[in-house]
Amino acid sequence: MHQSILRTLQLGLKNLMLHKLRSTLATLGIVLGVGSVIVMLAVGEAARFEAVQQIKQLGAVNIIVRSVKPAKEAQGRSMTGQVLRYGLTVADLDRIVSTIPTVVSATPIRESRQEVRYADQKVEARLVAVTPNFLDLNGLKMHRGRFPNELDNERFDNVAVLAADTAETLFPVDDPIGRSVLIGGQQFYRVVGVTQRRAPSAGIGSSLAAQDYNRDVYIPFATDRVRFGKVLVYERAGTFETEELEISQITVLVDQTEHVRKTAEIIAGLIDQFHKEK
């Protein structure tokens, strides 16, 4: 038996040596075939991992409720005088937190486009008014400094956190921490932190397009309400537009993944009761 196996191996090796080109091509084919399968599996796994990471960033137990600006044909019905009124309110936030038992917490934000300046540098940024739990619920991390806290909100402090690209644009050389930036041409805000760079996430901005978190500026929610008020004024094409918007978005944290869909339905019904416009 042993000699038979040895004899078979000898014949096989001899046959390979007699047909070197054919043997080389066969070996190359096996190597390339196995390598291609490994590469395809690796690409598929990488795509799956990226998708899972994006879902984790959004939060598997998060529900995002957005204020949507009315279409132009519907704006006339939503305007009182020359002010366009729409969107979520602080009362909506209170009702969601206090009446739905599956809701653990909720964080509001209000967005506006504002010019942010430091010395000769300026950037058109998304100004985001936030509460302290916004950082965790939206998967953001601090690169330096700190995020606005409860004390900042209680005192209506003029403090700001810059996103990565905003910080680089305004402070290409200087350290931004402790410096003051001018927001909206109205008030100076002391920079207390800079967030880490983060890949854009789809569906979390003012539209369904990917939201670039790297060009944001974050200030305390209460400070925004006091400094800018309910009515926001924008200049577009030489004309001024005014909008009354209390809350742009509410991110709701649900206690269990199984309760997310049902909680979303309850929230939708709750909001519809107090908003005649869709």
Side-chain angles (χ1 to χ4, degrees):
M1 183 67 179
H2 177 73
Q3 289 184 349
S4 176
I5 295 175
L6 184 60
R7 177 63 178 168
T8 301
L9 291 174
Q10 289 176 343
L11 290 174
L13 291 173
K14 183 178 180 180
N15 190 51
L16 290 174
M17 296 303 295
L18 290 174
H19 304 88
K20 294 181 180 180
L21 179 59
R22 186 174 65 183
S23 301
T24 302
L25 292 176
T27 304
L28 187 61
I30 294 172
V31 172
L32 292 178
V34 173
S36 299
V37 172
I38 294 174
V39 170
M40 290 176 63
L41 291 174
V43 171
E45 181 64 21
R48 187 194 68 82
F49 178 79
E50 182 67 22
V52 170
Q53 290 301 113
Q54 287 192 0
I55 291 173
K56 286 182 177 180
Q57 286 182 350
L58 294 178
V61 290
N62 285 357
I63 297 172
I64 297 172
V65 188
R66 289 287 305 173
S67 294
V68 178
K69 186 176 181 179
K72 287 189 177 297
E73 57 270 16
Q75 287 185 13
R77 299 194 301 271
S78 303
M79 294 183 71
T80 302
Q82 295 299 315
V83 180
L84 175 63
R85 291 180 170 85
Y86 71 96
L88 298 163
T89 65
V90 175
D92 292 327
L93 173 66
D94 293 338
R95 281 189 286 265
I96 289 172
V97 175
S98 61
T99 63
I100 305 177
T102 55
V103 172
V104 176
S105 66
T107 180
I109 67 170
R110 186 170 78 156
E111 305 168 357
S112 60
R113 304 301 303 183
Q114 300 289 347
E115 183 182 80
V116 183
R117 284 180 172 269
Y118 175 75
D120 295 332
Q121 305 295 329
K122 66 177 181 178
V123 63
E124 186 74 16
R126 185 180 76 134
L127 181 66
V128 188
V130 298
T131 54
N133 56 349
F134 174 86
L135 193 71
D136 294 331
L137 287 181
N138 288 271
L140 291 176
K141 297 184 182 299
M142 296 300 299
H143 173 61
R144 297 187 57 200
R146 64 173 180 86
F147 204 67
N149 55 36
E150 290 291 351
L151 194 58
D152 296 326
N153 259 304
E154 292 173 3
R155 293 178 174 177
F156 312 110
D157 285 343
N158 281 21
V159 296
V161 170
L162 307 181
D165 286 351
T166 304
E168 289 182 3
T169 302
L170 295 177
F171 299 92
V173 178
D174 296 333
D175 180 3
I177 304 298
R179 309 276 181 170
S180 293
V181 295
L182 180 65
I183 298 179
Q186 298 182 16
Q187 299 278 339
F188 283 94
Y189 290 74
R190 180 170 53 88
V191 179
V192 295
V194 177
T195 61
Q196 288 185 9
R197 190 173 301 279
R198 174 181 164 178
S201 296
I204 306 299
S206 300
S207 67
L208 293 179
Q211 174 60 50
D212 187 359
Y213 285 87
N214 300 310
R215 297 186 63 83
D216 290 347
V217 176
Y218 304 100
I219 65 174
F221 189 79
T223 301
D224 175 76
R225 295 184 68 186
V226 170
R227 301 289 182 262
F228 292 93
K230 289 185 178 181
V231 179
L232 300 172
V233 181
Y234 298 101
E235 182 180 2
R236 294 187 176 94
T239 61
F240 290 93
E241 297 181 6
T242 55
E243 300 177 0
E244 183 176 313
L245 175 63
E246 292 187 32
I247 296 178
S248 302
Q249 174 180 300
I250 300 174
T251 302
V252 180
L253 177 64
V254 182
D255 57 358
Q256 297 180 32
T257 307
E258 295 78 10
H259 296 158
V260 169
R261 185 179 297 275
K262 186 63 177 177
T263 304
E265 294 173 356
I266 296 173
I267 291 174
L270 186 64
I271 291 176
D272 287 343
Q273 292 181 31
F274 297 91
H275 292 267
K276 294 181 180 180
E277 296 287 343
K278 176 67 175 176

